[in-house]
Structures are given as C-alpha cells and as structure tokens.
Amino acid sequence: MTDVSVSAQNKSRRANPLKTLFIRVGVLPFFLAIALVVFSFMSSKFLTGQNLVNVARQSVYLVLVSLGQMLVLVSGGFDLSVGTAIALTSVVSALSMVWASGMFDSALMIITIGILAGGFTALLVGLINGVGVAYFEVSPFIMTLGVSSVGAGLALFMTGGIPISGLPFAFGDTFGFGRWFGIPVPVFIALICIAVMWVVMSRTPLGTRIYAVGGNIKAAHLSAIDTKKTLVLAYVLCSLIASLTGLLLTARVESGEANLGGTMALESIAACVIAGVSLRGGIGRVQNVVLGAFFIVMVQNGMNLARVSSYMQMVLLGALLILAVIFDQIRYRMMMR
C-alpha cells in the first residue's frame, strides 16, 4: 500500500466522526459550538452561571411548543397555527376566569374553568387541523396557515386588541411565579412534559405509528396502521401542548393577550429542524429538540446582550432556519447513500 493511500485512509477516519455526528443529530452541535464561541467574545456576561440559568428558564415555553411541533413534523407535516393556539388559549381562559369570578368564590374553581376552556379551544384547533390534513387531504401548509389566520382574527375580535385583566391572583402566583419542590412551576411542568414525550415517542405504539406514518404513509397504511387517526392525534396533541404554553404565558403576564405566541411557529420549526428533525418526516428525537429550543433562546439571549436590534434578530433567525433546511437536504442525501 502506498503512502498516498495510507494518508487518504487516515484523513477519512479523522473525518468520519464529524460526518457520523452530522448524520445522527444534524447541524445542532456545530451551530451550538459556533454560538458559544461568538457570543462569548461579544459579551463577557454570556457564559456566566446566572445568564445560563435565565436562558434555561426562558426556554421553557419554546421547549414545550417545539415538542408539539416535533410530533407534527415527524408525522410528515408541520403546524403554523401553534401561535394562534397559544393566543386563543390565553384569551379564552382569561375571559372564562373573569366570567367565573362573578359566579364563584373559589379560586380553584375559577382557575379550573379557565384552564378547561382554554384547553378545549386548543383541542378544537388541533382537531380542525388534523381532520383537514388527514381526511380532506389539504396541504398542512394551507390548512394550518388558514386556521392560524382565522384564530388570530377571533382572538383580536374577542379582546378588541386590549389585554384582559382581572385574573385571580392565585393563577399568576402559582403558574407564573410559583415553585414546586424548589423548582419554578413552568420548569417543573416542562420537565414532566419532556419525560412524557420521550416515553410516548420511544416506548409506546403511538410513537411508533407517528414515526411510521412520517417515514412512509403508504407503507404504514399497508401495515394496518390507521394513518388518518394517527395524523389527527399528532395535530391535536401539538395544539394541546401549545395550549399549555399559552396558559403558562398568561399566568406569567397576568392577563389574556391576543398577541402571545406570535413568533412561536417560526421559532419552533427552526428549533426542530436545527435539532435534526427531518422536514420529510419519520426522523426526530425528543432530547435533541429540547436542546434545539434551548439553542434558539440562547442565540436570542446572546444577541440581546450584544445589543443586536430586534429587527436584525428576525433576519438572523430566518437565516438560521434557511441554513438548517439546506443542511437537512445535505444530511438526507448523505443518509440515502
């Protein structure tokens, strides 16, 4: 064997770990390393323990929405209406709690009515999306975009563009700023959702069916999987998780607002794609999505510390999404080889 061929083999071996990492998890490790280096140079406060704790706390809401978005992406679609589900949940739950305050004296009863009303509204949003995509075979893009527009209009109509105040003090005090076992309530709820989602996707028949439908819907149908029911469940669960996020955000701001979650659709899709969830469906891991959502919030935090304008942040977030999609195409071709 010649020295040239030996050298080529050694280079191939050195390149393989990076290639294997890219195929397994996508561009996230590379993006994460670049972000850590760049923002560390731009701000001395970026890598402090307090700032990283703040990033983890702020990422809770995007983590939850991204988990729901992952379900739909893995099934072969996507949901542009998650922001609308958040806004409608916020508005309907707030209106219900204000109404219930005049009917009942129990704070627990008032909060329960608000939570159920908001969750039921999001359930309807997910059901409409799922039925439209699964049974009427409407494109997920058109279906969820249309529902997003209708829902946003309804939220603004119900509020008149004015935040709804007068929510019970216990609601914000518990779900917005409270602690359970020393852990902030939103973080505690997010940890439970992450654990449940990991079990569902990796240890239950529903997770297997979602992966199968996203991987090859025709083959899944021939394997006696009820593909339509599986798609509906994916969209319903996505909206319900978005509803949970809406309730937590409402408790945080202590008012029902029609503009909550306006950027969540783009950010959740970006978090999932950067985390290696394929836009073609059938590929995605819960733990990677959690890290992807953390990365998006970390980048936003780094840009805030570096005093990057909010308009330029939108540009950079869109550019990240485009780059992630390009690398997803490259990764798919490498996997096919």
Side-chain angles (χ1 to χ4, degrees):
M1 185 178 292
T2 65
D3 293 339
V4 174
S5 62
V6 171
S7 176
Q9 285 184 357
N10 289 336
K11 288 181 180 178
S12 177
R13 289 192 188 99
R14 285 195 296 269
N16 277 339
L18 292 177
K19 182 178 178 181
T20 303
L21 181 65
F22 176 64
I23 291 174
R24 284 179 64 85
V25 298
V27 296
L28 180 57
F30 306 98
F31 278 7
L32 191 58
I34 293 169
L36 288 172
V37 173
V38 170
F39 291 123
S40 296
F41 279 111
M42 294 180 74
S43 174
S44 59
K45 298 179 181 179
F46 179 69
L47 280 182
T48 61
Q50 182 180 0
N51 186 57
L52 292 177
V53 169
N54 287 335
V55 171
R57 200 172 287 167
Q58 293 166 6
S59 66
V60 163
Y61 310 106
L62 182 57
V63 165
L64 288 172
V65 179
S66 299
L67 288 174
Q69 189 73 253
M70 174 196 165
L71 282 171
V72 179
L73 284 170
V74 169
S75 72
F78 53 85
D79 192 347
L80 298 177
S81 67
V82 288
T84 294
I86 291 171
L88 279 174
T89 297
S90 179
V91 169
V92 172
S93 62
L95 286 172
S96 300
M97 280 188 267
V98 170
W99 170 82
S101 296
M103 303 290 293
F104 306 100
D105 294 326
S106 170
L108 178 61
M109 177 68 74
I110 294 168
I111 293 171
T112 301
I113 289 172
I115 290 173
L116 291 175
F120 181 73
T121 304
L123 176 67
L124 287 178
V125 171
L127 197 59
I128 292 169
N129 282 332
V131 170
V133 171
Y135 288 92
F136 292 97
E137 299 183 358
V138 181
S139 163
F141 175 80
I142 297 298
M143 191 68 219
T144 58
L145 182 63
V147 169
S148 176
S149 179
V150 171
L154 285 173
L156 288 168
F157 175 77
M158 286 187 286
T159 61
I162 302 171
I164 301 165
S165 57
L167 276 60
F169 173 78
F171 179 62
D173 187 53
T174 301
F175 295 101
F177 305 96
R179 289 176 176 268
W180 290 341
F181 308 104
I183 303 172
V185 171
V187 175
F188 190 86
I189 291 174
L191 290 174
I192 293 175
C193 287
I194 291 168
V196 171
M197 187 63 66
W198 182 83
V199 171
V200 168
M201 295 303 289
S202 60
R203 295 289 185 273
T204 66
L206 175 60
T208 303
R209 290 197 298 269
I210 291 174
Y211 279 112
V213 169
N216 190 325
I217 191 167
K218 292 183 179 178
H221 180 70
L222 292 173
S223 301
I225 292 175
D226 190 340
T227 56
K228 297 184 187 299
K229 181 180 177 181
T230 302
L231 285 172
V232 171
L233 279 174
Y235 282 94
V236 167
L237 288 174
C238 179
S239 284
L240 287 175
I241 295 173
S243 174
L244 178 59
T245 308
L247 289 168
L248 293 176
L249 284 172
T250 303
R252 188 73 180 177
V253 300
E254 297 183 302
S255 62
E257 301 189 13
N259 60 357
L260 283 182
T263 61
M264 281 294 190
L266 173 63
E267 291 173 359
S268 62
I269 292 173
C272 288
V273 175
I274 289 171
V277 180
S278 177
L279 290 173
R280 294 173 181 80
I283 299 173
R285 296 183 178 183
V286 170
Q287 57 270 31
N288 293 348
V289 170
V290 173
L291 191 57
F294 179 83
F295 167 77
I296 294 292
V297 177
M298 186 186 72
V299 168
Q300 292 173 335
N301 173 264
M303 289 190 290
N304 287 333
L305 290 176
R307 297 183 179 179
V308 178
S309 71
S310 58
Y311 306 115
M312 188 53 64
Q313 288 188 29
M314 293 173 64
V315 172
L316 293 175
L317 182 60
L320 271 177
L321 178 57
I322 293 170
L323 281 174
V325 172
I326 291 172
F327 282 114
D328 178 63
Q329 296 274 7
I330 296 170
R331 179 175 172 234
Y332 178 76
R333 292 172 186 169
M334 292 172 70
M335 290 173 68
M336 290 301 98
R337 291 172 188 165

